[in-house]
């Protein structure tokens, strides 16, 4: 039920953090994972980490905010592998400023990276998934898909919209046997949050205090949900937004 042997998966932002945690989960379940990022050397290192464990992976360089680059990236995946079954829209950034301090350029950078990229990558993946007889789209939201934070106006707006975008494509593409779901990670220890921990006073203590699991998550904590949502185990699950947060959102 969870076997992904023969499946081709794209993971955007798969060269580090949560993306690499999910990429490793998918590859351990048998998928061939294509790591997509801007930094070719970071992607090559991630591919090396996976292939050293006997897993299947390669990389394609692309900026997911660039429509033409996304088209070319999906074209390259199809040229190399002849199919696309799984897309994880994980690439994301945050610019931590209150709304009155955020520039339009900051706003657009966050929206383009976190939200518009999910649209253009999903749109590019639709035709190959349909011709494969079905597919799985996994979009990465956040606790800020649910909650507000003073330093995250664009990030929160983008992550809230990711959930609504997911519901839209889930309804549109159900007839093509493409299931689309969102994952809402809690506080996970990555480069992104290491910066937040130093930028936001008291954050570390607040996260530990509110998370019933009593710890920050690790990228590997996202592997299981990725495998579930990429596999036939979730064939009747679509349009959901599943927290993976050690209980943060119910506490
Ligand atoms: P990291 O900063 O560790 O990784 C972000 C990844 O996104 C990098 O691999 C980066 O690769 C890629 N990326 C960024 N911009 C682009 C772009 N324009 N084109 C292609 N790739 C891009 O972050 P995390 O692992 O922490 O976050 C991953 C996702 O999870 C994000 O969507 C984030 O919002 C979300 N998230 C994270 C949480 C956490 O606690 N860490 C909590 C909730 C959600 P490269 O530099 O090579 O382009």
């Amino acid at each position: 039920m969870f076997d992904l042997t023969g499946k081709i998966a794209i993971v955007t932002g798969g060269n580090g953090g949560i993306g690499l945690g999910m990429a490793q989960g998918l590859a351990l379940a048998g998928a061939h994972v294509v790591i997509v990022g801007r930094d070719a050397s970071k992607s090559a290192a991630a591919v090396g980490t996976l292939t050293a464990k006997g897993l299947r992976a390669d990389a394609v360089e692309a900026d997911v905010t660039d429509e033409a680059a996304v088209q070319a990236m999906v074209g390259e995946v199809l040229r190399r592998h002849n199919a696309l079954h799984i897309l994880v829209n994980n690439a994301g950034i945050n610019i931590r400023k209150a709304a009155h301090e955020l520039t339009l350029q900051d706003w657009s950078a966050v929206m383009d990276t976190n939200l518009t990229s999910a649209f253009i990558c999903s749109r590019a993946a639709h035709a190959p998934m349909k011709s494969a007889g079905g597919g799985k789209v996994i979009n990465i939201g956040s606790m800020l898909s649910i909650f507000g934070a003073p330093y995250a106006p664009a990030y929160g707006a983008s992550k809230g919209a990711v959930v609504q975008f997911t519901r839209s494509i889930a309804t549109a593409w159900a007839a093509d046997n493409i299931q689309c779901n969102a994952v809402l990670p809690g506080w996970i220890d990555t480069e992104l949050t290491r910066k937040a921990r130093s930028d936001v006073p008291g954050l570390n203590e607040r996260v530990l205090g509110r998370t019933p699991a009593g710890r920050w998550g690790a990228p590997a904590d996202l592997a299981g949900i990725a495998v579930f949502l990429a596999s036939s185990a979730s064939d009747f699950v679509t349009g959901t937004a599943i927290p993976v947060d050690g209980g943060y959102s119910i506490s």
Side-chain angles (χ1 to χ4, degrees):
M1 193 188 279
F2 297 101
D3 184 15
L4 299 178
T5 304
K7 302 293 185 190
I8 307 299
I10 289 174
V11 182
T12 72
N15 61 19
I18 289 176
L20 184 53
M22 291 189 294
Q24 182 157 311
L26 297 175
L28 281 166
H32 181 108
V33 175
V34 183
I35 302 280
V36 172
R38 294 163 302 180
D39 183 334
S41 62
K42 222 167 115 189
S43 295
V47 169
T49 303
L50 298 177
T51 54
K53 294 178 179 165
L55 304 175
R56 296 183 197 85
D58 61 355
V60 177
E61 200 180 322
D63 180 337
V64 293
T65 66
D66 178 335
E67 186 179 12
V70 165
Q71 286 296 346
M73 176 274 287
V74 171
E76 179 61 16
V77 171
L78 295 173
R79 193 188 65 75
R80 289 186 199 174
H81 302 293
N82 283 315
L84 174 60
H85 307 99
I86 299 157
L87 168 67
V88 183
N89 286 309
N90 163 78
I93 59 166
N94 192 7
I95 297 176
R96 286 181 194 82
K97 292 178 191 170
H100 60 281
E101 292 163 338
L102 200 74
T103 66
L104 181 57
Q105 199 183 7
D106 294 335
W107 171 271
S108 300
V110 172
M111 296 303 272
D112 289 352
T113 309
N114 297 1
L115 175 62
T116 309
S117 69
F119 159 58
I120 57 182
C121 291
S122 302
R123 190 183 57 181
H126 174 255
M129 285 184 180
K130 186 176 174 180
S131 60
K136 304 281 187 177
V137 178
I138 304 170
N139 293 326
I140 307 307
S142 163
M143 287 296 101
L144 296 182
S145 300
I146 310 171
F147 302 118
Y151 53 82
Y155 187 85
S158 71
K159 293 298 189 177
V162 158
V163 171
Q164 286 302 96
F165 172 68
T166 304
R167 291 175 179 151
S168 178
I169 55 174
T171 54
W173 297 348
D176 303 322
N177 192 30
I178 301 169
Q179 289 79 49
C180 309
N181 290 284
V183 173
L184 314 183
W187 289 93
I188 313 297
D189 183 19
T190 68
E191 258 176 51
L192 189 91
T193 48
R194 251 164 254 150
K195 182 156 167 26
R197 259 195 258 194
S198 64
D199 288 357
V200 183
L203 178 67
N204 185 44
E205 293 67 31
R206 285 206 302 280
V207 168
L208 292 177
R210 183 169 163 178
T211 305
R215 65 172 176 87
W216 285 67
D221 287 319
L222 278 298
I225 193 76
V227 172
F228 171 63
L229 292 176
S231 69
S232 64
S234 62
D235 279 354
F236 201 53
V237 178
T238 199
T240 63
I242 303 178
V244 178
D245 64 352
Y248 182 90
S249 59
I250 49 89
S251 161

